[in-house]
Amino acid sequence: MLVAQGLTKAFGGPPVVDGVSFTLARGTITGLIGPNGAGKTTLFNLIAASLAPDSGTLTLAGDRIEGLRPDQVFARGLARTFQIPRPFPAMTVLENVMLAPTGQRGERFWTNWLSPGAVAAEERRNRERAMHWLDFVGLSKLAAQPASVLSGGQRKLLELARVLVAEPRLILLDEPGAGVSPPLLEIIMGKIAELNARGITFLIIEHNMDLVMTLCRPVMVLAQGRLLLEGSPEEVKNDPRVVEAYLG
Amino acid sequence: MEILPVLNYLAFFMVFAGIFAVMALGLNLQWGFTGLFNVGVAGFVAVGAYASAILTGPPEPERFGGFGLPILVGWLGAMLLSGVAAFVVAVAALRLREDYLAITTFGIAVVIQLVATNAQGLTGGPFGIQSIPRPFVEALGTGFVWNLAYLGLVALVLGLAWWALERLVASPWGRVLRAIREDELAAASLGKRAAAFRLQSFVIGCMLMGLAGALYAHFVGYIAPEDFLPILTFQIWAMLIVGGSGNNAGAVLGAFLVWAIWSVSGNLIREVLPAAEQARGAALQVVLIGVMIAAILVLRPRGILGERATVSRHAGKD
């Protein structure tokens, strides 16, 4: 699904991501763990094109994607969520989700003057799809509320619905379990497993070991910008290098 | 007191308020819906006013232009030229963060005003352009009836602008603008090419300002650089803030309200103050508008009519 080769990124100083290479197999849930400052989020930003790598290549389903804009990467089916969720607070929950599908005809301004009927029909379909995914994450009752009323955990669910409506092939989740109550964490884990069973590939940054142990096969460990090892959760847990990386 | 002068003044007042409302609608698209801090309104108004004057005016030996084209062509040309000017500015400046964009657009408006003052062969220099044709003037004369007819034209343009913008902001396109205003990085991560949408919003808004400039030019019949000083930008911003940015009805309401306060206070100053103090008294008008903005920001920070909660026309309906 995704192949990274020698990804490197520095912000003036020593590289934050240093020659990282890996392959995400189609249909897997890969965990990405590592101590704070290891470069996990920077790696995400490189993959999702929020940052351009200094060197290295990224190949998504056979196409090179490094150097593309974030919107181009998203249009190719690679979506990401944020460590701290970023809803559009003044827009309703429903509109947050209806925004996301790519290639909407109504996003070309002149179609709203010239063929409003076609836009309205497209919006009705869009609305149905958005409600479907809001239902899926359990937020459909809040559809008409501004996103600013949502709790932290609900915002994570909204971000998930928002990318799902665009039907991505690969989703990058940045700490889906952080700051989430245990019951909600159960729900989020269930949703990820269900989506994975439907064929969506995941790459997940997570500190919550329950989530990593339950969902992620394989797990990659990043430390000081380098990929330390990759293996099953059990292998990773019992590897002395990982313990050393976390304890410094 | 005779009724006709009062009505005539009222028509005169409404024409100006309507023209300001078109400008405020343009600014509302940029600031209210997209978060673009355009402090160069007067510059784009000037481009439209001069463009239409040059296209439609009678030939003059010392000045470029005077093509004598129909007024409608002048208005379309005003939109086109202010749109082109906005496009050039946007390509250069739109990637700037909002406060830097404000400084840049302010500077560009000052430059446009200076060009108007100095490029005599194009703009007539400090004396500006006289004898800009007024529509229907042969048939209606220049009295009350003509003022009313022009008011009808302005109302028609304002109505069209209103309709076009309401269609836009309550659409998927408008939804993307609001997403960019709220969080550009998140919008980009959801596949929206923010730069392209910002550009479109900026250009469409400036085209409305240019059109409003042309409406002004053909109503007054002459334009000069001093008509396009930064105070004009300040007035339009006051209208948008007072009325409520992010809401087209707010922009129009603010235009009529602020222009009413401006006119009434101007008349009062003329009536009350002795002739020697009038120039200084005029500064009180600016103070009054400033106080009004401050009061609104404290008492009703989102303006008299705030942004509506749901804007997408299709999202709220079952």
Side-chain angles (χ1 to χ4, degrees):
Chain A
M1 173 63 57
L2 182 77
V3 181
Q5 279 290 338
L7 280 182
T8 300
K9 180 73 186 177
F11 299 99
V16 179
V17 171
D18 191 0
V20 171
S21 303
F22 61 85
T23 300
L24 298 184
R26 190 181 301 270
T28 55
I29 303 177
T30 303
L32 179 61
I33 65 169
N36 289 325
K40 303 184 294 294
T41 296
T42 301
L43 182 59
F44 258 36
N45 286 335
L46 293 176
I47 298 172
S50 297
L51 290 171
D54 296 337
S55 61
T57 65
L58 278 164
T59 312
L60 178 69
D63 297 327
R64 293 281 289 271
I65 59 164
E66 81 273 4
L68 295 184
R69 294 189 308 268
D71 56 286
Q72 292 171 318
V73 170
F74 186 81
R76 282 157 193 254
L78 194 165
R80 64 92 56 95
T81 66
F82 293 93
Q83 188 174 352
I84 297 158
R86 307 178 76 130
F88 305 107
M91 289 164 60
T92 67
V93 168
L94 178 61
E95 280 194 295
N96 263 269
V97 181
M98 286 178 71
L99 173 82
T102 49
Q104 298 184 39
R105 291 183 64 191
E107 286 180 358
R108 280 169 269 164
F109 65 86
W110 58 90
T111 57
N112 296 294
W113 296 326
L114 301 180
S115 45
V119 175
E122 178 188 65
E123 281 285 272
R124 276 193 293 276
R125 288 193 299 276
N126 187 4
R127 182 174 193 272
E128 257 170 49
R129 281 166 65 194
M131 285 308 288
H132 168 79
W133 288 112
L134 281 174
D135 249 343
F136 178 78
V137 299
L139 289 179
S140 50
K141 283 207 178 76
L142 295 167
Q145 300 294 318
S148 54
V149 308
L150 298 185
S151 71
Q154 287 172 329
R155 287 172 189 219
K156 287 186 184 284
L157 290 168
L158 174 61
E159 279 209 335
L160 189 60
R162 210 163 63 170
V163 299
L164 285 171
V165 75
E167 293 167 4
R169 297 182 283 184
L170 168 61
I171 302 179
L172 315 182
L173 299 176
D174 198 344
E175 298 199 30
V180 169
S181 68
L184 194 53
L185 181 63
E186 285 293 319
I187 294 172
I188 290 177
M189 286 169 61
K191 299 299 175 194
I192 294 170
E194 192 180 336
L195 291 165
N196 180 242
R198 295 192 204 172
I200 299 178
T201 308
F202 283 90
L203 175 63
I204 304 180
I205 295 178
E206 189 51 69
H207 288 297
N208 184 309
M209 279 304 134
D210 281 347
L211 190 153
V212 173
M213 294 295 153
T214 313
L215 288 179
C216 299
R217 309 279 184 285
V219 175
M220 304 192 295
V221 185
L222 200 65
Q224 295 179 324
R226 292 166 185 273
L227 212 51
L228 205 58
L229 77 155
E230 182 182 331
S232 71
E234 291 72 25
E235 285 166 5
V236 166
K237 199 163 75 173
N238 297 323
D239 194 295
R241 288 174 295 173
V242 176
V243 178
E244 196 190 335
Y246 269 92
L247 298 180
Chain B
M1 195 156 90
E2 277 191 70
I3 191 77
L4 195 62
V6 175
L7 283 180
N8 201 22
Y9 180 77
L10 207 62
F12 190 79
F13 167 85
M14 296 284 278
V15 166
F16 271 100
I19 291 171
F20 286 131
V22 175
M23 298 180 201
L25 282 176
L27 183 63
N28 191 30
L29 180 66
Q30 297 173 340
W31 170 250
F33 288 102
T34 325
L36 299 173
F37 205 159
N38 180 3
V39 195
V41 178
F44 297 101
V45 173
V47 169
Y50 276 100
S52 192
I54 289 168
L55 286 172
T56 60
E60 268 185 48
E62 273 135 54
R63 190 165 49 72
F64 172 77
F67 296 111
L69 293 167
I71 289 171
L72 185 63
V73 175
W75 291 4
L76 294 175
M79 289 178 78
L80 185 70
L81 247 103
S82 48
V84 169
F87 183 84
V88 173
V89 170
V91 167
L94 222 50
R95 58 192 69 201
L96 297 174
R97 226 155 39 89
E98 57 186 36
D99 32 2
Y100 294 104
L101 180 65
I103 294 166
T104 308
T105 48
F106 184 82
I108 285 162
V110 170
V111 168
I112 290 172
Q113 208 259 339
L114 286 174
V115 169
T117 310
N118 292 291
Q120 261 180 353
L122 182 67
T123 64
F127 300 109
I129 298 179
Q130 270 84 35
S131 61
I132 300 167
R134 298 160 155 211
F136 316 129
V137 85
E138 297 84 2
L140 302 176
T142 53
F144 174 60
V145 180
W146 185 79
N147 278 353
L148 264 192
Y150 205 86
L151 178 60
L153 267 184
V154 169
L156 182 72
V157 171
L158 179 60
L160 272 175
W162 169 275
W163 175 86
L165 286 175
E166 282 290 297
R167 275 284 152 110
L168 280 188
V169 298
S171 77
W173 186 78
R175 187 164 59 214
V176 177
L177 294 191
R178 281 176 293 129
I180 291 169
R181 180 194 67 188
E182 307 249 309
D183 189 336
E184 183 168 341
L185 179 63
S189 86
L190 291 170
K192 307 308 170 196
R193 195 178 172 189
F197 286 96
R198 284 155 62 94
L199 178 83
Q200 291 166 10
S201 166
F202 189 75
V203 169
I204 293 172
C206 286
M207 286 172 80
L208 282 176
M209 293 168 193
L211 176 62
L215 286 176
Y216 171 82
H218 291 273
F219 181 63
V220 178
Y222 62 89
I223 50 173
E226 70 200 26
D227 297 335
F228 310 105
L229 292 169
I231 182 71
L232 173 62
T233 304
F234 176 64
Q235 286 171 319
I236 304 302
W237 268 97
M239 290 164 182
L240 188 59
I241 291 168
V242 168
S245 79
N247 185 332
N248 287 331
V252 174
L253 175 73
F256 280 82
L257 210 62
V258 170
W259 181 238
I261 290 169
W262 185 270
S263 306
V264 169
S265 62
N267 287 338
L268 264 181
I269 287 164
R270 270 191 294 282
E271 296 287 331
V272 172
L273 290 182
E277 298 291 335
Q278 293 218 338
R280 273 193 279 176
L284 281 176
Q285 284 182 285
V286 185
V287 172
L288 191 66
I289 296 291
V291 169
M292 193 170 168
I293 292 179
I296 282 280
L297 287 177
V298 170
L299 300 173
R300 232 184 133 78
R302 311 186 71 170
I304 294 171
L305 304 174
E307 185 180 350
R308 288 166 293 175
T310 303
V311 182
S312 184
R313 289 195 295 149
H314 316 284
K317 292 179 201 155
D318 280 308

